[in-house]
Each structure stands twice: as C-alpha cells, then as structure tokens.
Amino acid sequence: MGAVDLECRIFYHDKCFDGACSASLFTRFHRECVKTADCYSYHGLVHRAGALFDENAFLDVANGDENAIVDFKYSASPKVTWWFDHHQSAFLTADDQKGFEAGQADGSQRMRKFFNANYVSCTSLIADIAQVNFGFNTAPVLELIKWADIVDGARYESAKAAVEMAAPAMKLTMVIESAADHSLVPRLIPLLTEMSLQQVLDKDFVQELLGPLMERHWAALELIGQRAKVEGGVITFDITDQPTEGYNKFIPYYLHPEATYNVGLSKSSFRTKVSVGTNPWTKKMPAELVNLAAICERYGGGGHARVGAISFPPDREDEARKAVGEIVAELRAQK
Ligand SMILES: [Mn+2]
C-alpha cells in the first residue's frame, strides 16, 4: 500500500452518551462500508460562547484524509467531509443552512451530510442512513442504538430505572458526563461498538471512575430525601448548604412519584440554581401541564416546556429563594 496512512478524524459532542455512541457507530460504519481510512482519531466539541470550531483542528483533506462531525452543529468548512446531526438548532447561521441546502440540492453533499431533527438520537440517525444507503449491518450494534435513544430522549421506563441506574448504559452515561480527563471518552469510543455495554462498564479504567460517582449519587439521593417536601402536587427542596456540581434530576420523582412538579434550590461553585421540572411519568395530560420555560424566562432563566432553570449569582440566594416561593405558589394553584 501507499506510504502515507489515511486518517479520518471524528468530531463529536463531548461529555454526552449519544455523542460518544455516534462517534463509535460512525467509525464502525466508515471502516466497514467506506473503507478509505487506515486510522481514526477523536476530537470532542462543546457548546460555548464564541467560535465552536477551531479550523486548525480539521485535517487537511487534499491527500485523502477526512473530517467527520457527529451529533454537533454544522460547519461550513470545506475540510468537513461527513456530517450527521439531529439537533433542532443545528445551524449557527442562515448562511450555514443555505450552504447545507445547496449541497443537498445539487447532489454534491447528499451522500455525505445528513440532518434530521425527527431522530431521538444521532446514533439512530447514523445507523439508519448507513444501513439504507451503504448496506451497513446494524445487527451487532442494536443494544447501543436502543440505549442512545433512551438516554438522549430521556425515555426511561420509570423513575426507578433512571435513579437506581441498574442498566450499564445509565452508569456509562454518568461516567461520560462527569469526565474530567479529556482522554476518557476517546478511549471509550472504539469499545462501544466492539463489545456489550456491560463489558465496557467492566473495564478497570471505567470502574475506577464509577465508584466515587455512585457514592456521590447515593449521597445526593439521601440528602434530597431528607429535604424534599411535597404539597399540592409540587416537590420542593433546598440543598444550598451542601454545594454540589450536579445531581440526578429524576431523584425528586423517585422519592415522590405522586407529584407533578419539582422546584429545587441548589448551589455550585459558580451559581445558585433554581431547577423547575415536570414529572416525566405524570398521569396528567399534556394540555393540563404548565409551560415551565415561560415561568423561568420571567426570572431571566429558560429551558423547555417541561423543564427549565434559573441561575443566580452564588451570593444572591435570597433572590433565588424568593423566586422559588413564587413559582411553587403558582404551580400549586394550577392543580
Ligand atoms: Mn444527540
């Protein structure tokens, strides 16, 4: 063969289970069906203010190297040779969207760049495109695709499944989302399509990280269990005296499954946070539920119809507590 090894560099949504699964599935598809790369490398991307892409991180494609972006925004860079995304807000600018649409219309990018916001996970989008258009065999990776849909769509069967985290995918998600070491996810990606999720979880380097995270999770469950009160269908709790960098957001509904809403007050190093949520397993009809994004926006926060948040500076607990009182009263009046 030639003297130069061809490389395919995969840019993926970092600290995200679907991002890691997408990178893994794309690699397996590219290796089995496209067959033009000798090696694969990985580069995580995060949402932030300012430029999302570093043009220098893309490989020069003149020699046949490739750059793929999965589960992340569109880049108009001519160096990007593959793109798959399912996010509603996939285009940063109207020009980006025009560029994508032009490549679809003239056919030049139709078999290289794919966008479909109807998919729950980018992993399932890649799997379908690869199977239908390139003859990729999805049979060995069905477990991965199923769990990417469950995790990215937050489609857990119960609060028990979401909080007790018996499934390996749930524990892997926690490890990936809390990864402090940038080499962790690139190490996991090749494994995700080569073995079962349980076998990935059983790796020593994963177990070492999982232990302390599970301890932190059980401690949060106990703390919120001590603090949470439910009245008029609304759970409230205040854990600002125990600063935390995050907790499993389904804990309140696990503790009080009969509640419709949750309003929690917590504190991290950089903010005091009011978290407002709807019980995903509520028996109420969608039309009966309050739009929480609208409520949070009133206080300078935001989110989705079913879950939102408001951030206050760490020293403005009084303001945050006042907002909690008003929101709780409003939600209790709804029922
Ligand atoms: Mn995704």
Side-chain angles (χ1 to χ4, degrees), residues 154-198:
R155 293 180 171 181
Y156 305 113
E157 56 177 315
S158 63
K160 184 179 160 72
V163 171
E164 295 184 4
M165 301 200 295
M170 304 289 301
K171 297 193 178 85
L172 283 171
T173 298
M174 187 169 67
V175 168
I176 288 169
E177 289 178 353
S178 354
D181 177 354
H182 285 291
S183 67
L184 175 82
V185 180
R187 209 171 158 191
L188 285 174
I189 288 170
L191 307 181
L192 289 167
T193 38
E194 294 305 322
M195 55 185 73
S196 71
L197 293 174
Q198 183 65 57

Side-chain angles (χ1 to χ4, degrees), residues 15 94 117 120 138 144 159 161 173 184 190 202 227 244 250 269 282 303 316 319 327:
K15 297 197 173 196
V120 177
T138 58
L144 190 79
T173 298
L184 175 82
D202 287 342
R227 302 285 172 86
T244 167
F250 303 108
S269 51
T282 182
R316 305 302 278 276
E319 262 179 65
I327 294 168

Side-chain angles (χ1 to χ4, degrees), residues 156 158-165 170 174 213-230 235-237 239 244 246-259 261-264 278-281:
Y156 305 113
S158 63
K160 184 179 160 72
V163 171
E164 295 184 4
M165 301 200 295
M170 304 289 301
M174 187 169 67
L213 291 171
M214 288 306 293
E215 273 173 41
R216 199 178 78 179
H217 174 58
W218 299 131
L221 176 59
E222 197 182 325
L223 179 65
I224 296 172
Q226 289 163 2
R227 302 285 172 86
K229 301 272 179 290
V230 58
I235 307 163
T236 54
F237 65 88
I239 53 169
T244 167
Y247 57 85
N248 180 311
K249 62 181 180 291
F250 303 108
I251 288 175
Y253 314 115
Y254 174 76
L255 296 164
H256 298 287
E258 74 282 12
Y261 301 104
N262 165 62
V263 185
T278 312
N279 186 338
W281 304 279

